[in-house]
Amino acid sequence: MIWMFGPLFLLWTIGLLITYFIAQNIANAPYDRTLADHLRMLKHEIQQQKIVEGVELSASAITILQGDPTHLIHWEIQDANANSIGGNASIPLPDNWTYENDIIRFRNETLNGQSVRVAYIWGGQDLNNLGFLTVVAQSNEMRATLQQEILTGMLTPQLIVLPLAALLAGLGLTQGLEPLNLLQERIRARRTNDMSPISDDLAPAEIVPLVAAMNSLLTRLASANETQRRFVANAAHQLKTPLAGMRTQAELALRERSPEKMNASLEQLVRGSERATRLVNQLLALARAESADESIRPLSNVVELNDMAEQATLAWVDSALSKNIDLGFERALTPMHVAGNSLMLTELLSNLIDNALLYTPGQGWVTVRVGGDALSAYLEVEDAGPGIAPADQDRVFDRFFRTLGTSVDGSGLGLSIVKEIAEQHHAGVNFMPTSSRKGIAGGTCLRVTFARLKEAGTASWPT
């Protein structure tokens, strides 16, 4: 209301000033025309005489100049030397007036303490061709009265209408903002854990987009809260077993007196801490993958799969050698550019390699491949492990699911992380047929397929 009524009041003030000058011009115009007519009539009278013999006006001229007795027309005739020849010699004239022929000049002066309007013209010539100055003056009282009447007529409607308009505008704003007040009260009354959408049935049409943006924010907050809740629940559930085992082994080591048995318990304690560390890292990776916000993804990032996959594979060479596993890498013949987040894609591939090394026995092999065609690019990890039964292939992407009959320590989170990151990159994860190598049949081959970028200079998410 301040921003609306403040400028309006300023404009209204400017309008008053403009109205004042307009009224002044309107009031002056008719009286100036009358004064000019008197001036020309007086000039014509003098042109019929000889000013050296004195000036004498006709009865009709005197009658015209007298007009209203209360508002007499004062007049004066001066020669070229500014000597008064006839009339009222006290009419003030400018000190620097010029000899401009037949040009009427007007100015406001004071005569006997009264404001008067003076008109004068030079260029009249008497019967002897002597030049003279003609001057007439009239009180400004009638002009002021007319100007006041004009101002009253013009400003009275404004003074009545403007407060009414301000009152109606204030009422309209108050009524128009009432739905906002109701919406505010409804939002304040919501519980802190209430992430349901805000109803916009009472909201003005102008703020429906604002309500929609708030609902979008609530949806994201609900998703973030759900991710946090799942992380806490998963961490609490999954860490109980390894922590309990570590505590048991620590207690056994404290009770043992035999160095051999104590070392065995300590080795179990170390392996338990490694399992707990791996589980925590995977839980954190899953939480990061789940909490990735659509609005903050680096949409302009371009990832070259050959270079990224080679660096990720090199990081697992020592782990593969320690298990006596042949870890290989096969590059694509051409660069494979995709749109994505390099760190997240490295996390995806690391989980596939980790899973393959975990389930591949000694003397086995794991191969990382990059390939593709004109429209797609893929990352592929194949191993010589026991493989996954077709009945379990859909379930292995669920959290904490592990196939029966395996003695490998695992958390069941690796493929869940892979699926989550792949979905964020609009990629598909599929089981592919495996190859036979060195007489070893079976194994698992997982492929993650992306939309390939035609040019490496720009990146955008495929639709």
Side-chain angles (χ1 to χ4, degrees), residues 243-304:
L243 291 178
M246 291 168 62
R247 179 177 178 179
T248 300
Q249 294 299 328
E251 291 175 349
L252 288 175
L254 289 174
R255 290 198 298 265
E256 291 294 344
R257 295 293 180 266
S258 170
E260 292 80 5
K261 292 183 178 181
M262 183 181 296
N263 288 335
S265 296
L266 291 176
E267 290 176 359
Q268 291 292 333
L269 184 60
V270 170
R271 284 194 291 270
S273 66
E274 292 175 350
R275 288 194 298 270
T277 301
R278 184 174 183 274
L279 176 60
V280 169
N281 289 334
Q282 288 193 312
L283 284 171
L284 291 174
L286 182 61
R288 285 195 300 270
E290 288 179 335
S291 62
D293 192 346
E294 187 81 22
S295 63
I296 61 173
R297 288 179 179 174
L299 304 183
S300 61
N301 282 11
V302 177
V303 180
E304 206 288 302

Side-chain angles (χ1 to χ4, degrees), residues 20-229:
Y20 172 79
F21 288 110
I22 291 175
Q24 189 178 51
N25 290 332
I26 293 175
N28 281 334
Y31 286 102
D32 282 350
R33 284 195 298 268
T34 302
L35 204 58
D37 291 340
H38 292 346
L39 189 66
R40 283 188 288 264
M41 183 272 298
L42 182 61
K43 174 185 173 184
H44 179 72
E45 280 281 323
I46 305 304
Q47 285 175 337
Q48 310 304 316
Q49 304 177 32
K50 296 179 180 180
I51 59 175
V52 295
E53 299 176 358
V55 173
E56 184 177 354
L57 299 183
S58 64
S60 60
I62 293 174
T63 302
I64 292 173
L65 291 175
Q66 286 180 347
D68 185 354
T70 60
H71 299 90
L72 296 176
I73 301 295
H74 302 276
W75 62 276
E76 182 187 11
I77 303 297
Q78 294 183 0
D79 61 14
N81 296 319
N83 297 317
S84 180
I85 299 173
N88 189 345
S90 61
I91 297 176
L93 285 175
D95 297 331
N96 57 348
W97 63 271
T98 57
Y99 295 89
E100 298 172 316
N101 288 333
D102 298 325
I103 298 178
I104 299 177
R105 297 294 183 182
F106 294 92
R107 60 186 289 114
N108 292 319
E109 294 287 352
T110 302
L111 177 62
N112 299 327
Q114 185 180 19
S115 175
V116 294
R117 183 77 164 172
V118 178
Y120 55 94
I121 185 172
W122 168 263
Q125 291 182 343
D126 67 355
L127 294 177
N128 293 328
N129 293 325
L130 295 177
F132 61 89
L133 177 71
T134 308
V135 184
V136 293
Q138 185 183 34
S139 171
N140 278 328
E141 184 177 348
M142 291 187 296
R143 299 166 184 260
T145 302
L146 179 59
Q147 181 180 350
Q148 183 178 359
E149 292 175 353
I150 294 173
L151 284 174
T152 302
M154 296 177 68
L155 296 181
T156 299
Q158 296 185 35
L159 293 174
I160 295 175
V161 171
L162 188 64
L164 289 177
L167 178 62
L168 292 176
L171 292 175
L173 284 174
T174 302
Q175 293 300 319
L177 294 177
E178 184 61 25
L180 275 179
N181 295 330
L182 296 176
L183 183 63
Q184 173 183 279
E185 294 300 326
R186 287 164 58 181
I187 294 177
R188 284 182 174 177
R190 291 167 71 97
R191 298 188 304 275
T192 54
N193 59 347
D194 185 1
M195 297 294 174
S196 60
I198 301 171
S199 175
D200 59 1
D201 53 350
L202 296 179
E206 291 80 4
I207 67 164
V208 168
L210 174 62
V211 176
M214 293 175 64
N215 286 336
S216 175
L217 175 61
L218 288 175
T219 301
R220 296 196 299 270
L221 287 175
S223 176
N225 289 343
E226 178 62 19
T227 300
Q228 184 181 26
R229 186 194 62 79

Side-chain angles (χ1 to χ4, degrees), residues 285 288 342-352 417 421:
R288 285 195 300 270
S342 179
L343 293 177
M344 299 299 288
L345 292 179
T346 301
E347 186 71 31
L348 177 148
L349 184 57
S350 295
N351 276 276
L352 287 175
I417 298 172
I421 298 176

